[in-house]
């Protein structure tokens, strides 16, 4: 990695401002944390900084409070959860900037969690004055919020120019290492599996990966826009009519690298346990909701030879069995392949977890949007802004 890491810094006696991604799902009017996965993901960096003699100012956004305080999106419950996880007290600031916060700044060994950055509209506007106020809270800047690195906000980009050094945290470093390895001279064959709802969401990813990979396996609803573009029947499947020309262009650029499903699981409607059948030609009144068994066989064959696998998006409507079969079968094939595998996007992660093979995946990215932009070849502003080694 060309950027400074927290491991390159002398943290002793310093106040370290760490941008974390504590954008957790909440229930019960913001009182209950339904998954603390993101808090746990930041623990290694937090512990590292404490062990190296720093006082910590932790900052994050949570939800979309639209520039105003909203008790349902307060970080208060996170301070408590963090205390439990660390077995150490965590002070909760009433705001993220201002005199009251400045009076609470931590000494070495102490932790202060700032209130939701997005209570101020200046955060998303990347406002210079707000950035300066945030920068005044720390001596050194660390970004461990990979999930927010594709956003140029005050806490991810703006404040860095007012700080002497800006480094990647351990989670950020791991994300960049795995995504970087998968996309720069990857061990070959390198195979990408792309699925999900729409071609339009992933045009740049397809274009960028096409140049890199040896095979591009397409599944999910996006396959049907390609299939229609080839002049084949798609029945009532999801097709983006306005993307047919683009799909034809992508197919001609990719040549035989791009593989499409040859059979499909179809049903008359999308509901749990709906009556379904496997077809090669999609009937007029049916929609394709998963890849079929022959496609699974073909794709598994390709996956079994891969040395590097990049996966984004499910192969079908995996939330509704039996339309999860294609996704689960490929997840197992990825796990068994022994290849270095990098999975991005919330839905792909859910699919991997439901297949019970999460521990066999080399890296599951914590950032859906950020990992997609990375795979599209776009430089993430939150990474670009960090100090060069
Ligand atoms: P994405 O967020 O783009 O990765 O898309 C994920 C969504 O695509 C999931 O909610 C899937 O249910 C949906 N999806 C995948 N395959 C299909 C399909 N064949 N028809 C309709 N929706 C699908």
């Amino acid at each position: 990695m060309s950027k400074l890491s927290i491991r390159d810094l002398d943290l002793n006696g310093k106040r370290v401002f760490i941008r974390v991604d504590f954008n957790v799902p909440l229930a019960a009017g913001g009182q209950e944390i339904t998954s603390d996965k993101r808090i746990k993901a930041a623990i290694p960096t937090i512990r590292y900084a404490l062990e190296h003699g720093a006082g910590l100012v932790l900052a994050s956004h949570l939800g979309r409070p639209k520039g105003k305080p909203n008790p349902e999106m307060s970080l208060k419950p996170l301070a408590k959860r963090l205390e439990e996880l660390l077995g150490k007290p965590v002070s909760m600031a009433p705001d993220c900037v201002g005199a009251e916060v400045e009076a609470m700044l931590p000494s070495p060994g102490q932790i202060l969690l700032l209130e939701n950055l997005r209570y101020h509209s200046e955060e998303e506007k990347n406002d210079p004055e707000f950035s300066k106020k945030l920068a005044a809270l720390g001596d050194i800047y660390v970004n461990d919020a990979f999930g927010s690195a594709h956003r140029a906000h005050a806490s991810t980009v703006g404040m860095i120019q007012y700080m002497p050094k800006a480094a990647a945290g351990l989670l950020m470093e791991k994300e960049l290492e795995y995504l970087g390895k998968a996309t720069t001279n990857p061990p070959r064959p390198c195979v990408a599996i792309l699925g999900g709802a729409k071609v339009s969401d992933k045009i740049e990813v397809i274009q960028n990966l096409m140049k890199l990979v040896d095979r591009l396996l397409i599944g999910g609803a996006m396959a049907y826009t390609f299939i229609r573009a080839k002049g084949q029947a798609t029945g009532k499947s999801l097709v983006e009519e306005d993307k047919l020309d683009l799909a034809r262009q992508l197919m001609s650029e990719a040549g035989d690298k791009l593989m499409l499903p040859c059979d499909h699981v179809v049903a008359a409607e999308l509901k749990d346990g709906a009556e379904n059948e496997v077809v090669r030609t999609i009937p007029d009144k049916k929609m394709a909701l998963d890849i079929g068994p022959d496609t699974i066989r073909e794709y598994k064959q390709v996956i079994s030879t891969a040395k590097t696998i990049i996966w984004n998006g499910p192969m079908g409507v995996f939330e509704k069995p039996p339309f999860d079969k294609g996704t689960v079968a490929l997840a197992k094939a990825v796990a068994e392949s022994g290849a270095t595998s990098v999975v991005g996007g919330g839905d792909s992660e859910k699919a991997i977890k439901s297949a019970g093979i999460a521990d066999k995946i080399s890296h599951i990215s914590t950032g859906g949007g950020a990992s997609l932009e990375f795979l599209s070849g776009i430089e993430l502003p939150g990474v670009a802004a960090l100090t060069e080694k």
Side-chain angles (χ1 to χ4, degrees):
M1 194 179 65
S2 67
K3 298 295 182 178
L4 213 56
S5 152
I6 188 170
R7 292 177 297 124
D8 300 321
L9 302 174
D10 176 11
L11 303 177
N12 197 20
K14 302 271 173 35
R15 206 159 52 225
V16 183
F17 184 106
I18 309 182
R19 174 58 161 101
V20 288
D21 180 3
F22 282 177
N23 186 25
V24 299
L26 293 174
Q31 298 308 302
E32 192 191 315
I33 299 166
T34 54
S35 164
D36 61 3
K37 192 185 74 184
R38 288 193 165 147
I39 311 177
K40 285 183 174 150
I43 296 285
T45 298
I46 294 172
R47 280 202 200 288
Y48 180 93
L50 288 172
E51 281 161 12
H52 287 78
L56 310 189
V57 176
L58 305 180
S60 177
H61 77 279
L62 175 57
R64 296 200 168 118
K66 303 206 172 110
K68 286 197 294 278
N70 177 341
E72 293 192 5
M73 295 173 202
S74 167
L75 281 145
K76 269 188 208 137
L78 283 96
K80 250 205 187 137
R81 187 74 194 102
L82 188 58
E83 278 189 352
E84 289 161 12
L85 289 169
L86 290 170
K88 264 186 93 48
V90 174
S91 310
M92 182 68 213
D95 199 347
C96 60
V97 286
E100 260 185 292
V101 178
E102 283 162 27
M104 292 176 80
L105 287 175
S107 305
Q110 295 179 336
I111 307 167
L112 176 68
L113 176 61
L114 302 183
E115 186 51 285
N116 197 338
L117 290 160
R118 289 197 190 162
Y119 279 4
H120 296 260
S121 60
E122 296 94 325
E123 158 66 0
E124 287 181 85
K125 288 184 195 142
N126 194 7
D127 177 80
E129 285 310 311
F130 183 72
S131 297
K132 262 186 219 166
K133 286 184 195 163
L134 288 175
L137 305 178
D139 305 317
I140 295 179
Y141 174 91
V142 169
N143 192 344
D144 212 25
F146 178 73
S148 301
H150 58 315
R151 306 268 182 243
H153 293 168
S155 68
T156 56
V157 172
M159 64 183 289
I160 291 178
Q161 62 185 301
Y162 306 110
M163 308 222 55
K165 273 181 189 164
L170 301 176
L171 171 65
M172 173 74 89
E173 203 182 10
K174 184 165 168 242
E175 290 275 5
L176 297 176
E177 185 194 324
Y178 274 101
L179 287 165
K181 264 200 232 158
T183 51
T184 341
N185 297 323
R188 294 186 181 278
C190 175
V191 174
I193 309 169
L194 284 182
K198 291 180 179 167
V199 177
S200 52
D201 288 344
K202 296 182 186 168
I203 298 167
E204 286 83 9
V205 182
I206 299 172
Q207 282 171 328
N208 197 46
L209 289 184
M210 215 153 66
K211 290 180 246 149
L212 171 85
V213 303
D214 303 294
R215 285 280 185 184
L216 195 57
L217 310 179
I218 304 279
M222 75 153 86
Y224 304 104
T225 299
F226 286 105
I227 288 174
R228 171 80 67 81
K230 284 173 73 176
Q232 294 171 5
T234 49
K236 291 193 325 186
S237 311
L238 276 187
V239 168
E240 287 174 276
E241 300 286 347
D242 59 336
K243 293 290 176 289
L244 296 177
D245 282 341
L246 173 76
R248 276 187 277 270
Q249 184 199 324
L250 291 173
M251 283 189 287
S252 88
E253 284 170 33
D256 0 318
K257 275 188 186 179
L258 190 139
M259 291 178 74
L260 291 170
C262 62
D263 63 344
H264 322 276
V265 182
V266 299
E269 54 185 338
L270 171 53
K271 62 172 193 194
D272 283 328
E275 204 174 296
N276 61 83
E277 60 177 327
V278 174
V279 297
R280 287 209 157 233
T281 305
I282 303 168
D284 284 352
K285 297 213 161 69
K286 302 250 169 122
M287 58 179 97
L289 296 170
D290 195 8
I291 55 174
D294 288 344
T295 308
I296 293 179
R297 215 167 295 129
E298 270 185 15
Y299 284 10
K300 276 173 80 169
Q301 165 61 27
V302 174
I303 290 168
S304 70
T305 64
K307 293 273 187 297
T308 307
I309 298 169
I310 300 165
W311 186 352
N312 185 289
M315 295 291 101
V317 184
F318 76 104
E319 304 94 329
K320 290 195 194 299
F323 308 113
D324 59 340
K325 274 195 193 138
T327 304
V328 170
L330 294 203
K332 289 189 173 144
V334 172
E336 284 159 15
S337 69
T340 298
S341 49
V342 176
V343 173
D347 275 327
S348 321
E349 182 185 351
K350 268 187 229 151
I352 297 278
K353 294 234 161 99
S354 72
I357 49 106
D359 58 330
K360 301 234 169 55
I361 300 296
S362 319
H363 181 66
I364 300 178
S365 177
T366 54
S371 71
L372 266 186
E373 291 202 11
F374 191 104
L375 295 177
S376 304
I378 298 168
E379 186 172 46
L380 306 176
V383 176
L386 299 177
T387 313
E388 289 293 326
K389 254 198 177 117

